[in-house]
Amino acid sequence: MSLTKIKDILGDEAESLLTYKSKAIQKEHLHLPAPDYIDQSFALSNRNPQTLRSLAQLFGTGRLAGSGYLSILPIDQGIEHSAGASFASNPLYFDPENIIRLAMEGGCNAVATTFGGLALLSRKYAHKIPFIVKINHNELLTYPNKYDQIMFGSVRDAWNLGAVAVGATIYFGSDNAGRQIIEVAKAFEEAHRLGMATILWCYLRNDAFKTGGIDYHVSADLTGQANHLGVTLQADIIKQKLPENNGGYQALNMGSSSYGKLGKRMYSDLTSEHPIDLCRYQVLNCYNGRIGLINSGGASSGQSDTKEALRTAVINKRAGGMGLISGRKAFQRPFAEGVALLQAIQDVYLTKEIDIA
């Protein structure tokens, strides 16, 4: 897809997103994605040679191979959102082989999905596309529904499937966050020992984060701190939702409440209201980009999916992020359209004229 086509799809936002120059953290202060990213960020780290090889497989596969950027197809929504809700619009994805086929034909670096789906097909595909096993999930069959990530298998089992990486979610801010932190820290230690890379979904969950009619689950300051906790747990890649607002700490410290810690310069010096600066604050909290940030592609909303996906990709790339992990926008549509959408996202990262803000 050409730059002209990308501009056409972005419409009225094209100029603001494609020409903006950051007034907050300058790009020279960041560690940016590049072909030698693994050498620059991990060669002198505690990651063993097998883990470096696994990271090299991730970064060396698909249409973005050798660029330092990632395009990952994640499909664990059959557990997280129910299989019916996830696959009713396209029942062929009840068959996990079609999930893997979509990732391969879409030119992705890897496919992230469940123990069960990959266990059935690992001998056929593990040597053809990197597998990422999502090791914990929030299942919504329990009544009433609750928000808790629980382990669905072992890291050793993921290794036996030929996975190059494991993925996990922590609901920071939730009642069970402490237990999840301990479980994931142990799992990531074991994954690195076995030579696998680690990806952490750094999500927020707490009803108090919705206040004054604003959802601060997607505020730059709170998600940024979640990212900082994630890199402290030695995640090799951080996955986060694109920020939509800011001031979560401030809102939660109104009245007699005393929540967390904040500094005024978080808002005056380190970011602005521009979506690229909001995302850059997330990158900043990933050790200035030493650990790569991939943003979520979000839910499918129909005809606007391509525009929303390209918007997210442009913001992530120009902020200093490392790519997108996009699922529902791709698999909740006909197969060929899903392939086209994944490749449109990748085209943003392949377009040299779209540079760091």
Side-chain angles (χ1 to χ4, degrees):
M1 181 180 293
S2 67
L3 178 60
T4 300
K5 180 65 174 177
I6 292 171
K7 289 180 178 179
D8 288 343
I9 293 173
L10 291 175
D12 293 342
E13 282 192 288
E15 183 175 357
S16 172
L17 294 178
L18 294 171
T19 65
Y20 179 73
K21 301 299 180 184
S22 178
K23 299 177 178 63
I25 301 300
Q26 300 301 301
K27 62 184 179 182
E28 290 78 14
H29 296 301
L30 300 176
H31 300 270
L32 299 172
D36 63 347
Y37 166 74
I38 297 173
D39 290 337
Q40 293 300 319
S41 285
F42 292 116
L44 297 179
S45 73
N46 67 340
R47 275 57 162 184
N48 61 33
Q50 291 84 2
T51 299
L52 297 180
R53 183 174 60 191
S54 292
L55 285 164
Q57 284 183 264
L58 280 176
F59 285 93
T61 302
R63 295 180 73 233
L64 298 183
S67 68
Y69 291 104
L70 294 171
S71 168
I72 297 173
L73 176 71
I75 303 187
D76 61 338
Q77 288 87 350
I79 297 174
E80 298 279 345
H81 304 149
S82 91
S86 298
F87 305 137
S89 60
N90 205 346
L92 68 87
Y93 291 112
F94 277 99
D95 182 342
E97 183 166 14
N98 291 320
I99 292 170
I100 299 172
R101 286 182 53 241
L102 177 62
M104 292 177 63
E105 296 194 29
C108 293
N109 298 74
V111 58
T113 188
T114 64
F115 278 104
L118 295 179
L120 284 173
L121 295 153
S122 63
R123 292 183 185 275
K124 185 174 182 180
Y125 289 105
H127 58 294
K128 297 178 181 178
I129 185 171
F131 280 4
I132 301 166
V133 180
K134 186 67 165 50
I135 60 176
N136 67 357
H137 303 281
N138 177 43
E139 60 84 17
L140 293 180
L141 190 59
T142 301
Y143 187 88
N145 287 162
K146 59 182 179 180
Y147 296 101
D148 187 15
Q149 290 286 329
I150 58 176
M151 291 291 175
F152 268 60
S154 68
V155 173
R156 171 69 65 168
D157 193 17
W159 182 79
N160 285 331
L161 294 178
V164 305
V166 296
T169 299
I170 293 177
Y171 283 158
F172 291 107
S174 70
D175 290 341
N176 302 297
R179 192 206 76 244
Q180 293 167 23
I181 289 170
I182 293 170
E183 288 178 347
V184 170
K186 290 180 178 178
F188 280 10
E189 180 181 359
E190 174 72 356
H192 281 151
R193 189 182 70 81
L194 292 171
M196 290 185 288
T198 58
I199 304 175
L200 187 60
W201 279 240
C202 293
Y203 285 175
L204 302 176
R205 283 290 187 278
N206 193 308
D207 289 342
F209 293 165
K210 294 182 179 180
T211 182
I214 300 175
D215 185 359
Y216 290 106
H217 286 95
V218 286
S219 70
D221 54 353
L222 297 184
T223 56
Q225 180 60 19
N227 290 358
H228 198 69
L229 296 177
V231 294
T232 302
L233 291 167
Q234 299 189 70
D236 299 320
I237 299 165
I238 295 294
K239 187 216 175 185
Q240 184 57 268
K241 295 181 179 180
L242 196 70
E244 299 177 12
N245 53 58
N246 206 357
Y249 275 117
Q250 294 172 318
L252 293 168
N253 274 283
M254 297 294 286
S256 59
S257 173
S258 178
Y259 172 73
K261 298 290 183 181
L262 62 91
K264 293 181 180 179
R265 290 181 179 178
M266 291 165 54
Y267 309 105
S268 61
D269 295 2
L270 301 184
T271 189
S272 73
E273 295 182 358
H274 196 282
I276 291 174
D277 281 338
L278 294 177
C279 186
R280 180 157 292 181
Y281 187 75
Q282 292 183 337
V283 174
L284 185 69
N285 276 277
C286 295
Y287 294 152
N288 279 39
R290 284 184 182 270
I291 300 298
L293 170 70
I294 53 178
N295 285 119
S296 170
S300 175
S301 54
Q303 293 184 345
S304 63
D305 278 354
T306 300
K307 179 178 181 179
E308 292 172 5
L310 294 187
R311 179 182 186 274
T312 302
V314 168
I315 291 170
N316 171 270
K317 182 180 183 182
R318 302 208 67 225
M322 186 166 278
L324 248 58
I325 184 164
S326 185
R328 283 170 285 174
K329 283 181 168 58
F331 71 77
Q332 291 184 337
R333 62 183 59 249
F335 189 90
E337 292 182 16
V339 168
L341 187 140
L342 290 170
Q343 293 186 353
I345 291 170
Q346 294 154 16
D347 286 343
V348 169
Y349 295 95
L350 293 171
T351 301
K352 297 187 185 305
E353 293 87 349
I354 300 175
D355 60 356
I356 308 302

